[in-house]
Amino acid sequence: MLGLRRNPLSRKPSSSSNTVKPLHDNVEETSRLETMADDAPVPNSSHNHDNVKVDKSPVIAKEPKVSKPMAYEPLPVKKPNGLSNGTTNRTSHTMTQRSQSYTSTSKRWGESSVVFSKDQQITTLHETVITTRRKFVAEFDDVDDADIHSLTIEGFLQFIERQRLTHMPHRGSRWDKVLKWAEFFALQISGYSEAVQGFVRDSDQAAKLIWAAACALLEASPLIALDKTFAVFYELGLSISVLLRHDKLLHADEHIRVEVGQAFNDLLVLVRDVSIYYYAQVNAISAGQASLDFNGTFGGHIEAFHQRKSRITDAMWQFELGDDASMDIETLRSWLRPRDRNLQTIVKNRLNAPGQRDEYTCEWFQRHLLDFSRSTDDGLAIVGPAGCGKSVLSRWIIERLQRPLAKKTYETLFFTVEADVPSETSSVAIAKHLLLQLLEKNIGDKLLFQDLAQAYEDSSSKDTSNLEDSLWKYLDIALGRFASKHPLFVIIDGLDEVRGGEQNRKHVTHQLGALATKHTNIQAIILSRDPAPVPDKGKIRTFKITRDHTHDDCRHVAEHALHGYAHYQGQGEHGREAVVDQLIHAANGNFLALLLTINFLRQEKSHEGFIKAVKAAKDAPKSLDELIKKLVDTLDFSRPDTNHLLSWMLVAERPFSVTEVRNLLQIDLQKKHSVDRKTDIREDVKASLGALAIIDNGFVRFRHPTIRAHILNFLKEGKKVLGYQAAQTDLTMRLLAYCRFNLTDSREPALDMMAKTQVNELFESHRLLEYAVRYWTLHFRASSMYTSADNFQLSADFKAIFPSSTQLAMLEWTCWESLVESIKTHELARQIRQDVLTEKHESVLQSLIICGILYQKWSKTTEASMCFYRASHIGQGILRENHTVTIGCTTKFLTITETIKTTTRTELATCKEGMLKYIINAYKHQHGKTHDLVIRYYKMLAQLYVDIREEHHAETIWRELREVVIIRYGKGSEEETSISEQLTIILKKGDKKIDVVEYETGIFDVAMHLEVWDIRRIQMTIELAVSYEARGEYFLAEELYVTLWRRLTEQCHHPHHHGVEIHIHTIDIVLEYVRFLRRRHRHEEASNVLICVWTEYEEYDFESETIYLRLKVVGELMRAVSLLSVAISVFKKCWGWFKSHGKHEHTESCEVLISETMTELISTTSTTIVSNTSTTTTTTEAVIKELFESTMSGNTVTFETFSTCKSLVTYYMKLEQWSQCIEVTKRTLLLVWKTIVSGRGTIALPKDFGSEAIDIATSLAICYDRSHRFHEAEEIYVRIYRACRNSCHIHDERLTRSYTLLVKFYEGHRHWHKMIEIHRELLVEYRKHLGTSHTLTIKTLYILGSLCADHGHGHAHEYYEEIITTLNHGSAVCHHDALDAMFFMFNYHYEGGHWHKLQAICKTLWVTWKDQHQGYKNFSVEFIEILYLRYRYVLEHHMHCEFSVLRELTIEYRTACIKIFGASATITIKASIELAQIYMKSEKHIHEAMSIYEEASSIRHSHLFLH
């Protein structure tokens, strides 16, 4: 067994250099063996340019501290038996060379791999390796640990060679392919093991087990099993080769290393399970009794590995891009690939899965391919008629180039243009797919990433006309970089199917030709029907496929197709050859014609009829069109399935999967419900369509594009199948009916898109739903119901089945997001909904919201505003009062229309008026009438009335608003004054002026007899000016201010003025005048007045404190009108006087003002402007430096010390002068907090100004960080945190802030383990001071659990277990704060197979939900179903509970569902069915089961009828 005993693979190749004589003297056979050696796959082409063995010491990783590299402790090896002698000598010389070459390559991998210490090892494989070895020893005959442990890659290659020598498979045979695939896969596993051995424990043992499993499969399993199995292994090997191309990134960070180890584990589990499965069923398979549904059995394993590989490549990209990436790599992938998930599967199958072809075919093309690869030609155009085998040949070329050709390895980019996928037949689609493949192959190409990110941004703009050219340009640039390292073939099959006619086909051809011509390492291969467009650039070779080329292939195909047919097998060898010759002659080199002819022959019931039909085919050969017509005529079009399937396949936007076909056939449009279909859909398709269609990887497709084109004519003519529009109508209605039957959850309209996880869950649950959502509008537009853009002919049946759920609109939003014409598509859907459901419906509301958001995105303000207006209007009518969606639509409308001004009452003005009134009332109800939002929208409404000249309405609103403002801010406040000014304007326009009190004029007349500098006259003048201003006579008010100012100034300049008091009065009147101008919003004039008064007093020196206090007020007003630089000068003058006269209170006040003004100046002035204005810079910096030096010269620390420091630091940070920032902060800290700088001794907060000191220290850390002195930045953050821990109570905000800053720093630099350590320290403190059940303790446990789970540090489950233990206290009911932890442990125990623990978790969750305890509403419907299934599974299969326990559990499940969700809910119906199935297991409960089935059926039918 395994060749381990009979042919000991553990032996290394013989060291003898003697050449082994070939077993055959036949020269051709010897050449074949040499070519086989040349065909040997190479695990990583970048390592195979030489075979020189270089001895190097292992490179030790810098990240972890390394002690010793891990060494695997081998098991005792048995002595080889006598069969080992001579076995190695039989290995061919070419095979020995290949093994030695690979050995050298693998050594280089091992030498370049990084060795990690034991505590850094990834141990994922360890348990799996032990389990697998035990299973192999138990399941496989004559195998023990020593056999497996002694297996090497050289031994495996020798085993493959012995298989070849034993079976002598012809090139191109199934055996030949299987052995090549096995060899390729084994070499990839070997390379992967070598690449990861430094950090993945037991990787070498895992490789040995995989090789042993492959040996077991090759020896024990029949070929029918091997073909599919090793095709999948080959596909997995290709994925591994992509990772090996970037082997240095495999250990880039811990996350990647963990995923790499998990990927190896996935591979081992898959190969183990496959080998054991087939080995156990080998006899049944040989007898034809066992099923070989490989994908059904192992699809989950395969998908798990592919997902893991995607995560690894994502992490590699993230590592290479760092934090500078403008977007996520997955965003680019999603944009480049089709959005439709089934379409992604179709494309992936074309790219990765080995081509399906008959044995021995296409091998004739190897010589032509070799000649082309060695030539200087830029392109090869392979042409031929339909059915001549071009597509099969393209797959063979791809597969062949994945192995060395003439000892040279190549990379390939490949795409097939398929007519039944219209969306993927454009030039843009081809460029995208090629770029996507290049993105996957060339991980870390930052320039390619940046180019694609730019293209992505361009695709989201209004103008996408240059997108196609941009994509081809970026492909050209990226290929130039890639091909400089890797010779490359670009292969396009089906060029004749490119959408857009001959011109577009020529365009694609010219693009490919330009790529190959420009880059010497690139060659293009184009496969197309004859005649094919030829590139206008480069040297292009044309190869036309003729019947002479395909003669032998036709023979192999015919023999295979006739195999097993009694009338053919019953003839002698010569008779069979004669039949095949006649059929080949009739087919004239066309494989499709040959297969269709054989299909008709196999229908003959007698030997004579068979011979007669063969002769007729030869004597009167039919054309391909005639054969297709004859095949169509054999179909039974009276079968509804036949007509429907053909019609749907012809108009579909992509091939339907088998499940989707089932769902479509189950729709009964007449009865308007879904009818469960019991038959096998695959058999139904075969019975309905015969040889016209095939099921290709789970998708129903026409056998050949020519057949599709032929039947498409029937569709256009309306013969036999539904007419084109009728087919589109039928499909549209079925898709919408499916949506109606399955989208039954009630969901309120929303302003945000559905989460992708929710969307994917719906698509997984309802397999036709994604197609229905994505394409129903396309089919509707092509149907007879669509007559024009705004006119539809909707039947009563259509309206009856149209979905009313808002879920469909929400799903459309997600699926159509990337469409260039998404707005038009959404508008179409909205119009249909409005026609069917009327406007007052939630679905119409949802569509309006979506359209409004899209119009807003594209800056179409008019359309967006009307959508939101209508949405708000509908929401007010159908949603509850003041619903958040209605308010959201209203505010969006007002935001969009805020900048749109109108001077008359237009429709927009009326709409705006209504929306403002609604939002004011809504916010009054929500927040109270004095809320800022209420005031804001009151002002907008009043201004609207002013703009449209409806002063009477404006007066009412201003009066109401004034009352609100008085309540909020008080009478006489600035806000109230502003409102009063507006009201005064309105009253003046309406001739409602308020007269100034008569006695004020009289008093002023008396005051005029006083001296101009008399304080009483000054006060009377100011009061009268205020009165004039109140009644709107601003000119008179201003005249008073200016006159008084002028006269006072004249007195100041008089040689005999009256002392300093007149200067004080002058400044006072100026200040009042400035305030008047500011109230009039004449800010520029106010600024000029302030500059004048400063110019007047700048050079004056007074000994009056009052003068400088007034000047300080002048500076404050300057600051208010943004004269910041001048204000600083004013404050500096005041500061100098106060300081020199010992006025400490005023000195400190001026210092604060200078600091605050400086900060404001810095924040409002860009670095460029500051740096270019030398005077401003010098003045600003000099002032703030002088202040700083002044504060630092004293020995006392005050609040002004910190204020001045912060201003100077802010100034330097704005200029990004980090060294100066560091100097200033360190000087300040040395004065107030020395230990934070030195780090010596016990670090604690200073006794005074602790918070301020933390601010300065934080600024120092930021400066270190910005200047890339990360270690010093970390030290400061850590010291701040330690000081707060030593000085603050656990609840102190400063402690919270300190560790938040430190954690944020670690997160920014991805130091996950340090983040975990900080939280662990906090956890200890919280446990000690707050208790284990405190909210902060629980929150910290959750954070630690999440960090460990996401980043692979520690054991996340331990933290979640502590939460559960702490909060639940052994209770049968789960605490509501422990639910998230329970959910995690629920999945953890299930995935780990911890069944007893899982039972306890399930029991607690079950009781919590069943009895509706606090927190049970967190249980989703999907989770409840999973909970029941897992709970029942554990009880039934691992606890082995009795029937009564399972019955009681299911009864509880059903009862709780009825109570919580209602009897007609889907989950309740499912629960009823589960209970019925339980009852069916007991004969005495069968009647109860039938009763439940009938009840569930009646509820379901009534529910469907109501909807």
Side-chain angles (χ1 to χ4, degrees), residues 780-797:
F780 177 86
R781 191 177 275 119
S783 72
S784 58
M785 296 180 286
Y786 182 88
T787 54
S788 65
D790 55 358
N791 187 22
F792 313 134
Q793 294 181 354
L794 306 180
S795 64
D797 288 338

Side-chain angles (χ1 to χ4, degrees), residues 1101-1120:
D1101 287 324
F1102 297 96
E1103 289 301 315
S1104 170
E1105 180 180 349
T1106 306
I1107 283 285
Y1108 287 98
L1109 288 175
R1110 293 294 192 276
L1111 288 176
K1112 193 174 97 171
V1113 177
V1114 170
E1116 290 172 348
L1117 283 173
M1118 286 180 170
R1119 181 183 174 191

